[in-house]
Amino acid sequence: MPQFARYIAASCPLKCYYLFLSSHSNLNVHLNKNIKMRQLTLIVQTSLDGFVAGVNGEFDDFIGGEENLEFVCSLTEEADAVLFGRVSYELLESHWPTAANKQGATENEIKYSNWYNAVPKFVLSQTLTNKDSTNTCIFQDNIETEINNLKQQPGKTILMFGSPTAAQSLLELNMIDSFWMIIHPVIFGKGIPFLRNGKDKINLGLLVSKQLSNGTLCNKYSVVK
């Protein structure tokens, strides 16, 4: 795995539970009418010119490092679920489940790996099937309903990592509440863009801005609804 990919972070009883809630909408509303909706926050690592990866999906030209991962770990402290598109899920799943056990793992690698393994994971995919796991759930159909049901359940923030195609779809469905743009001081010139041609204008409000020592700029925006 390319060096930066380590930092991009970063039977199915869980699926049955959410299918039950989806098919009992009246019960779901009754149980959750007094519960504040959970927030869905997108985390995007991008070049200055808006690319989330190189032409072939590589992350080699991003600026990684412990400070970057430490910042991402700080975001996970307020989150207890994670949402992906298929490609981002497979990328993180190939590294993070065992990262804490590898020789020389840093404090932040161990922290993120432990968080990743502990939280429920939800994947938007038409091709994956439910894994043999108690904490991974595949959303194939009725995405808007599935995510709304998820947001109505008690819990902390739901984080979404990368996944530009899925992210654009959810932005157009007005499902994303806020996002962190982690902007690296590098211009790719070409690559995979964060967003392609969207349908509508989306207004944003700047909530927080933080600069890392390597020049990376971390901006949190609310989606104005």
Side-chain angles (χ1 to χ4, degrees), residues 38-55:
R38 298 165 77 181
Q39 297 288 294
L40 175 57
T41 298
L42 174 66
I43 299 177
V44 180
Q45 308 252 10
T46 178
S47 65
L48 187 61
D49 51 347
F51 294 106
V52 298
V55 174

Side-chain angles (χ1 to χ4, degrees), residues 12-31:
C12 186
L14 187 64
K15 178 64 173 177
C16 294
Y17 173 66
Y18 283 101
L19 285 175
F20 172 81
L21 291 175
S22 298
S23 61
H24 294 75
S25 57
N26 291 335
L27 176 62
N28 195 26
V29 171
H30 176 73
L31 290 174

Side-chain angles (χ1 to χ4, degrees), residues 128-160:
L128 291 179
T129 56
N130 282 320
K131 291 171 58 63
D132 184 16
S133 171
T134 58
N135 70 346
T136 299
C137 182
I138 311 300
F139 288 163
Q140 293 182 319
D141 302 301
N142 303 315
I143 299 302
E144 187 172 3
T145 299
E146 294 277 23
I147 295 177
N148 271 325
N149 285 335
L150 177 60
K151 292 174 73 173
Q152 289 179 46
Q153 307 317 310
K156 298 180 180 180
T157 297
I158 306 160
L159 294 182
M160 182 175 186

